[in-house]
Amino acid sequence: MKMSMTWGRLDRWHHPTWSVSCASTDPPTWDVYERLDVSLDPTGPDQPHDLAAELLPDDGTVLDVGCREAADLIRIVRDRNAAGAGVEPVPLHLDRARAAVAAAALGYRITLHEGGVEELPGLDVRFDLVWCRDVLTQVADLDGVLAAIARALRPSGRVLIQVTFATALLHGADVDLLHRHLGNVHENLNRRVVESAFRRAELSVERTIEVGTEWREHAEERTQPMSRALLRLARLRRQRDALAEDHGADVVDHVEANLHWEVFQALGKLEPVIFILGHTRP
């Protein structure tokens, strides 16, 4: 009995987590947990569409730079009774965009072009709104793309650009991991680099919306995509060698980096930002 009591005192004295364990039972600690279980009604990823509705007049014209499969472009054209054009450099995405436009019966209001916006020989129209969502991180010729966007914009038009930047919380091994993402130009994750390119293209920032973690909170409260990403990461790490043997180490590294993308946004290591821009000289 004496030895048991002595051991108990020594365990309490030396155990490195004793104070933390005790603190975790305090009412203020549980109050914090309870508050963190309450939604803060975060803004969702439809936010850029709400902004587009403010910027684009009815019967206006919109250019989607990097339209992928045209989901955003189709929605904007429908919502604003607009005419639209999309440019997309990836043939597979473009084929799917054409199919989506045809299925939406909007071929008479939407035209699609293969390539980058800077590669187009010329546009017959200038646009009320240029939409560029989550594209600039993958653009090698940043100056060329932004200059082409400026040329495509009417004097009174506006550009809506959403881009993801690295924050001060992203460093060390996290930076090395994102270098494995095969699509990103890592310099474009630097906010100063992109904002300097805006100025060189004579585009002025009229409004900035710091998204922070809200879109990730919104998604996780509904469909738990980050939970799925974390589960996939756990499974990837348990079978990395087998996956690399079957698919190649580069592909596995890319998938691993891609699965961190939304998680890093939730942790504040990456931050989506929306810019509304106009011509510096109307």
Side-chain angles (χ1 to χ4, degrees):
M1 181 71 174
K2 183 176 180 180
M3 289 180 63
S4 176
M5 291 177 64
T6 302
W7 174 256
R9 287 195 297 272
L10 287 171
D11 183 57
R12 177 175 179 178
W13 180 259
H14 291 290
H15 200 293
T17 61
W18 183 269
S19 60
V20 176
S21 299
C22 290
S24 68
T25 64
D26 292 342
T29 303
W30 291 109
D31 289 345
V32 171
Y33 282 118
E34 288 177 5
R35 287 182 64 177
L36 295 177
D37 283 335
V38 177
S39 174
L40 299 177
D41 297 321
T43 300
D46 283 345
Q47 186 177 16
H49 282 279
D50 296 336
L51 293 166
E54 300 173 13
L55 299 169
L56 183 62
D58 284 333
D59 300 319
T61 54
V62 56
L63 172 65
D64 188 344
V65 176
C67 68
R68 294 188 177 88
E69 298 174 11
D72 286 328
L73 180 58
I74 289 169
R75 178 172 174 180
I76 294 168
V77 166
R78 278 177 167 166
D79 288 350
R80 303 304 295 164
N81 195 32
V87 291
E88 172 53 50
V90 179
L92 177 62
H93 289 169
L94 191 65
D95 288 343
R96 292 175 177 174
R98 288 173 176 145
V101 169
L106 288 173
Y108 68 104
R109 286 162 63 185
I110 294 176
T111 59
L112 297 170
H113 308 269
E114 184 173 354
V117 65
E118 73 281 14
E119 298 169 354
L120 293 178
L123 294 167
D124 296 332
V125 296
R126 294 294 178 265
F127 294 88
D128 297 299
L129 176 66
V130 177
W131 169 281
C132 183
R133 185 171 188 179
D134 206 19
V135 168
L136 292 188
T137 53
Q138 299 187 354
V139 169
D141 184 9
L142 190 59
D143 284 339
V145 165
L146 290 172
I149 285 174
R151 290 194 300 271
L153 189 66
R154 284 183 175 167
S156 60
R158 295 294 179 271
V159 182
L160 187 154
I161 288 177
Q162 181 247 305
V163 61
T164 299
F165 296 120
T167 73
L169 297 176
L170 188 79
H171 52 78
D174 294 339
V175 175
D176 294 339
L177 186 147
L178 285 189
H179 271 282
R180 303 174 192 167
H181 192 296
L182 303 180
N184 286 335
V185 177
H186 296 281
E187 293 81 1
N188 296 359
L189 291 171
N190 186 320
R191 183 165 179 169
R192 287 193 297 262
V193 168
V194 173
E195 290 181 336
S196 294
F198 290 160
R199 291 189 291 271
R200 289 194 297 273
E202 296 188 336
L203 292 169
S204 60
V205 177
E206 298 179 355
R207 185 178 175 190
T208 304
I209 299 98
E210 315 281 351
V211 175
T213 62
E214 289 196 52
W215 292 356
R216 300 281 65 84
E217 294 173 46
H218 185 278
E220 191 66 14
E221 288 175 5
R222 288 156 178 80
T223 58
Q224 294 79 49
M226 284 181 296
S227 298
R228 186 182 185 193
L230 289 168
L231 183 57
R232 284 174 159 178
L233 278 169
R235 291 169 175 164
L236 182 152
R237 289 171 180 170
R238 290 182 64 195
Q239 56 183 324
R240 177 187 291 278
D241 291 344
L243 290 169
E245 184 176 348
D246 291 341
H247 302 285
D250 286 347
V251 171
V252 175
D253 286 346
H254 167 72
V255 170
E256 183 179 28
N258 205 39
L259 287 171
H260 278 82
W261 191 258
E262 290 184 353
V263 177
F264 279 177
Q265 287 183 13
L267 294 173
K269 296 176 183 242
L270 296 172
E271 180 182 29
V273 178
I274 302 170
F275 296 98
I276 308 299
L277 306 103
H279 284 292
T280 301
R281 289 179 279 185

